[in-house]
Amino acid sequence: MKDIGLTQRQKDILEIVKSSGPISGEEIAARLNVSRAALRPCLAVLTTSGMLEARPRVGYYYTGKDASNLVVEHLKQYQVGQIKAVPAVVREHTAVYDAIVTLFVEDVGTLFVVDDEGCLQGVISRKDLLKTALGAADLTKMPVTVIMTRLPHIITINQEDNVLEAAQKMIDNEVDALPVVKELPGGRLKLIGKVTKTTLVRVLAGLVR
Ligand code: ADP
């Protein structure tokens, strides 16, 4: 896991700075027997990712953060509310057939079932739909409530929660998506967003922006 995604040259630079920092760019270049210009892109990656810092007249030094704990730190900065996406929803009376159409039209992998007030009732994954489609039932007549995973079995997340917590919940419960909910007086859960594995990949991709 350590230093994942680094090129060999970036790893070499990291080792030199770890053992001899603070050290100037010229000295690193001399040790690697390359030009200062050739090192520039590598140093840029290592400084923007936070592994190295550069101080004028001091040189480069190691911050003590390797790639794996930087990923954790990066994720920790975000609350679920900042990265949540718009959920695709269907109603309790929606037929399984129409839910499948919605899955394609909305280009998603998970549908959320809500009541009149937008409160969460159920979750339907693409495999729930596939499994039902393999059966003999008339999909135009069967409501989604028959096949959905319902409360209290739904794993939810709040918008104040940390993104890492959302990631952990998805891993622990082996699900691809979590509904972001806000508890209303009386305990009903208003659906206000979703966090999916795709959302997490987007946040991670921000690392290299
Ligand atoms: P797939 O079934 O397409 O692999 P998931 O792994 O997300 O997708 O879903 C696995 C099962 O868990 C499905 O039966 C689905 O209804 C259910 N499920 C999906 N998301 C949740 C959730 N947030 N909480 C509880 N159950 C869920």
Side-chain angles (χ1 to χ4, degrees):
M1 265 307 282
K2 212 158 166 274
D3 304 336
I4 200 164
L6 295 182
T7 63
Q8 190 54 49
R9 176 160 293 165
Q10 288 162 357
K11 286 181 190 169
D12 292 343
I13 295 171
L14 205 54
E15 284 315 309
I16 290 172
V17 179
K18 272 187 196 175
S19 59
S20 316
I23 180 169
S24 70
E26 285 75 16
E27 270 182 81
I28 302 171
R31 290 218 201 165
L32 291 173
N33 211 11
V34 295
S35 71
R36 177 77 181 80
L39 277 193
R40 205 156 282 137
C42 294
L43 285 167
V45 167
L46 293 169
T47 50
T48 49
S49 68
M51 290 182 224
L52 296 186
E53 268 182 41
R55 292 257 171 83
R57 289 179 300 280
V58 176
Y60 291 90
Y61 62 93
Y62 179 54
T63 58
K65 299 168 185 169
D66 64 32
S68 49
N69 63 30
L70 279 167
V71 168
V72 170
E73 277 188 31
H74 178 76
L75 287 178
K76 264 197 203 152
Q77 298 172 54
Y78 295 95
Q79 282 189 328
V80 164
Q82 293 172 271
I83 54 101
K84 68 179 183 331
V86 179
V89 298
V90 291
R91 296 296 313 278
E92 298 117 302
H93 52 73
T94 304
V96 171
Y97 182 94
D98 295 318
I100 294 173
V101 172
T102 307
L103 196 80
F104 283 102
V105 171
E106 304 253 359
D107 195 14
V108 291
T110 309
L111 297 174
F112 299 94
V113 183
V114 293
D115 65 13
D116 283 348
E117 282 120 45
C119 289
L120 184 66
Q121 305 295 318
V123 180
I124 313 170
S125 74
R126 63 189 111 195
K127 270 189 231 142
D128 291 333
L129 293 166
L130 255 173
K131 200 165 54 183
T132 315
L134 284 177
D138 182 351
L139 302 183
T140 60
K141 299 229 165 63
M142 183 191 279
V144 288
T145 42
V146 176
I147 65 160
M148 70 186 188
T149 299
R150 57 184 64 237
L151 287 170
H153 304 294
I154 304 176
I155 313 298
T156 64
I157 191 97
N158 299 319
Q159 58 177 348
E160 305 75 33
D161 291 336
N162 198 266
V163 170
L164 260 189
E165 202 173 318
Q168 196 63 54
K169 276 189 167 183
M170 281 193 247
I171 292 164
D172 291 346
N173 297 284
E174 296 180 2
V175 294
D176 293 349
L178 298 176
V180 182
V181 295
K182 190 174 186 171
E183 190 165 345
L184 301 180
R188 284 151 53 74
L189 300 175
K190 177 98 179 161
L191 179 68
I192 57 171
K194 69 169 179 183
V195 176
T196 65
K197 288 185 178 169
T198 306
T199 323
L200 296 183
V201 172
R202 279 217 187 92
V203 177
L204 278 178
L207 270 178
V208 293
R209 219 174 266 149

